[in-house]
Amino acid sequence: MISPEVMGAVVVTGASSGIGQATALRLARRGYQVYAGFRRPEAGRQLTGRSPNLVPVHVDVTEQDTVDALRERLTHELGVVPLRGLVNNAGTTTAAPIEHVRLDDLRRVLEVNVVGQVAMTQALLPLLRRDHGRVINISSMGGRIAGPIMGPYAASKFALEAVTDALRREVLNQGIEVVAVEPGAVATPIWSKVDATLDVASMAPEARLRYGDLIVGMQQAVFKASASHGVPPEEIAEVIEDALTRRRPRIRYLVGPSAHTRVFAARLLPSRVFDRILTGVVRRVGARTAAARSGAQDTTDTKEA
């Protein structure tokens, strides 16, 4: 049983890196007992010892037995300490044109980003109801706007937005706040992971002809740019803390300049105009990048000759 002197307990899933880790550390420093969820054993070892208020816990949101084990642990350990919040942050992504996305990859993204969040919420909602806690779902700007090549990920975040809205209305009179945090570009390792799944050179010639510029453009304009120029995870963690502690939190927190700019443009412009601008920019970046790479290769070939 944990000390009743702490401000309360919070569960953060996907706490091994990025937004989840930044949030877990920030809330632990604030005085919360943070159960920091990790999926891989090595990630748990990295979390150990980071803060006396940080408790690494193995939970894979797609494995019901680990979700149930965490619920049982919290039931026994919390005692009179309230469960203040569940931060549903665990997530994964994949990128591909809808025509060519592997269905197993699509199922995996939906299983982690939607079904897993529902599993965690179902497991902990009785404790959150008892303690008037909060559910904070880490969605995305992609839950409002589906960019090219990012359809599978956006589909999961659109679904998570629907789950968040439905849950918020269902527990309206139960003392539970339900909040969506919607970051734009964030400097986290997820971009290098998704970038690694895209290989234009290995695509069939017809697919490369149709989608090559879009894929390369997204790699340059979104993935690499986000990894180097996105807002730091600590900024998102600050927003999550506000959502957890403010007396009346917002229903949605749109975070980061890229998110605000793109959502504003999508609201202001007719959909077909917005489509042409967004896709046109991405294709031009891709075409320029491909041309530059081709030129560099020609120069190398000339020198070798």
Side-chain angles (χ1 to χ4, degrees):
M1 189 172 293
I2 65 176
S3 169
E5 296 178 2
V6 299
M7 296 177 61
V10 180
V11 173
V12 181
T13 63
S16 59
S17 63
I19 294 171
Q21 185 175 111
T23 300
L25 291 171
R26 184 180 185 92
L27 295 178
R29 289 193 297 267
R30 176 78 182 256
Y32 291 96
Q33 182 89 358
V34 180
Y35 289 85
F38 67 88
R39 183 174 60 86
R40 293 172 288 106
E42 59 270 25
R45 289 191 291 269
Q46 292 170 7
L47 288 168
T48 301
R50 297 291 298 272
S51 167
N53 287 342
L54 195 68
V55 181
V57 290
H58 174 239
V59 58
D60 182 335
V61 299
T62 67
E63 297 291 340
Q64 189 64 41
D65 58 340
T66 68
V67 175
D68 292 341
L70 176 58
R71 179 194 61 218
E72 293 302 318
R73 177 173 178 175
L74 292 174
T75 300
H76 287 93
E77 289 188 6
L78 291 186
V80 298
V81 175
L83 180 61
R84 296 296 188 191
L86 164 63
V87 181
N88 278 318
N89 171 72
T92 189
T93 187
T94 192
I98 294 298
E99 183 178 3
H100 296 286
V101 65
R102 295 177 65 250
L103 295 183
D104 284 347
D105 290 343
L106 176 59
R107 291 187 183 99
R108 173 67 181 173
V109 169
L110 295 173
E111 184 71 24
V112 175
N113 294 1
V114 185
V115 180
Q117 315 311 311
V118 173
M120 286 295 303
T121 302
Q122 288 180 343
L124 299 187
L125 207 57
L127 285 174
L128 292 166
R129 182 182 295 112
R130 181 197 71 180
D131 299 327
H132 301 290
R134 297 181 178 182
V135 177
I136 301 173
N137 288 334
I138 309 307
S139 183
S140 168
M141 173 184 68
R144 297 199 194 192
I145 300 170
I149 313 302
M150 294 301 294
Y153 176 76
S156 73
K157 293 302 183 180
F158 268 73
L160 185 59
E161 292 280 343
V163 166
T164 303
D165 283 350
L167 179 65
R168 186 182 69 252
R169 291 159 183 157
E170 290 162 358
V171 301
L172 187 63
N173 298 320
Q174 298 179 27
I176 301 170
E177 295 280 1
V178 182
V179 177
V181 176
E182 303 166 330
V186 184
T188 72
I190 195 171
W191 298 111
S192 59
K193 293 177 183 177
V194 69
D195 192 32
T197 68
L198 287 167
D199 183 7
V200 176
S202 66
M203 296 177 68
E206 286 188 2
R208 189 162 58 245
L209 180 64
R210 293 190 182 103
Y211 302 113
D213 286 351
L214 272 177
I215 293 173
V216 174
M218 288 294 288
Q219 287 175 314
Q220 296 298 317
V222 177
F223 306 156
K224 287 183 171 58
S226 297
S228 57
H229 302 299
V231 300
E234 290 74 17
E235 188 171 322
I236 312 301
E238 183 178 355
V239 172
I240 294 170
E241 181 185 21
D242 182 82
L244 182 69
T245 58
R246 183 185 290 267
R247 188 176 68 85
R248 285 184 61 84
R250 302 177 195 171
I251 289 173
R252 290 181 177 82
Y253 289 78
L254 190 64
V255 191
S258 65
H260 284 280
T261 299
R262 194 169 296 183
V263 168
F264 176 76
R267 286 175 177 170
L268 182 67
L269 298 171
S271 294
R272 292 187 184 279
V273 174
F274 182 75
D275 290 350
R276 286 195 293 270
I277 292 173
L278 177 60
T279 304
V281 168
V282 172
R283 281 196 182 278
R284 284 194 294 273
V285 171
R288 286 199 302 267
T289 302
R293 289 174 179 171
S294 178
Q297 183 63 46
D298 290 345
T299 301
T300 301
D301 291 344
T302 301
K303 288 180 179 179
E304 289 177 351

